[in-house]
Amino acid sequence: MIFNFGPLEIASLVVLGLILFGPDKLPKMISEVGGFIRKVREFSDSTKHEIRNELGPEFQDFEFQDLNPKAFVGKQLSRHGDELGLSEMQELRNGLTKDALAAPPTLRAAHVDPHSGSTGRPLEVTPPAAGEPTPYDRDLT
């Protein structure tokens, strides 16, 4: 696959090129597009090399993909995840997921998100009587 194009997409582009440019001009157009892509790659590579040279030797291992916030965060989490407590958060998430899946189906179906518009029976909540303890009053230690 070239540039994430599948064989059907490439065939469709070739047929479209034949219709638009004709069989005599299509090879010339393909070679011109290929030359343009080559020039853009050379320009990009030379620019990257120039930037690395200007930044100095301490940035020789700098990758331009690190400028993408998603890639940067992923790289930092993989390096420092244990220091930030990522494994504990993952264990907590897994435990909550396991508890949610273990809940009875009637309890899982009781929740209705008012923003998503999902249908279902709303969760009935009654306030506690005066002096009656709430679930939040128990000692969690």
Side-chain angles (χ1 to χ4, degrees):
M1 286 195 283
I2 302 170
F3 300 114
N4 278 339
F5 289 134
L8 183 62
E9 293 161 333
I10 292 174
S12 300
L13 288 173
V14 169
V15 169
L16 183 65
L18 281 172
I19 292 171
L20 290 176
F21 302 113
D24 51 333
K25 291 184 182 179
L26 186 62
K28 183 180 178 186
M29 293 295 290
I30 290 174
S31 66
E32 287 178 3
V33 168
F36 175 74
I37 290 173
R38 236 178 279 113
K39 285 181 184 179
V40 168
R41 282 186 185 163
E42 289 171 3
F43 175 74
S44 172
D45 291 341
S46 67
T47 304
K48 287 179 184 179
H49 183 70
E50 211 172 290
I51 289 173
R52 282 194 180 109
N53 286 341
E54 292 294 324
L55 288 175
E58 61 270 6
F59 289 101
Q60 288 300 319
D61 61 344
F62 174 74
E63 291 295 326
F64 288 92
Q65 294 171 344
D66 292 343
L67 297 176
N68 180 351
K70 193 173 188 179
F72 177 78
V73 169
K75 191 173 186 178
Q76 296 304 315
L77 284 177
S78 67
R79 280 188 190 165
H80 307 289
D82 291 334
E83 297 169 16
L84 300 171
L86 187 62
S87 59
E88 288 130 14
M89 286 189 278
Q90 188 67 30
E91 288 175 18
L92 180 63
R93 179 179 176 257
N94 291 341
L96 289 173
T97 303
K98 192 183 298 181
D99 291 345
L101 292 174
T106 55
L107 183 61
R108 281 187 271 153
H111 175 71
V112 174
D113 186 6
H115 300 293
S116 69
S118 63
T119 59
R121 184 174 52 89
L123 188 61
E124 297 175 14
V125 178
T126 55
E132 186 178 328
T134 65
Y136 303 107
D137 293 334
R138 65 184 177 162
D139 185 20
L140 298 175
T141 57

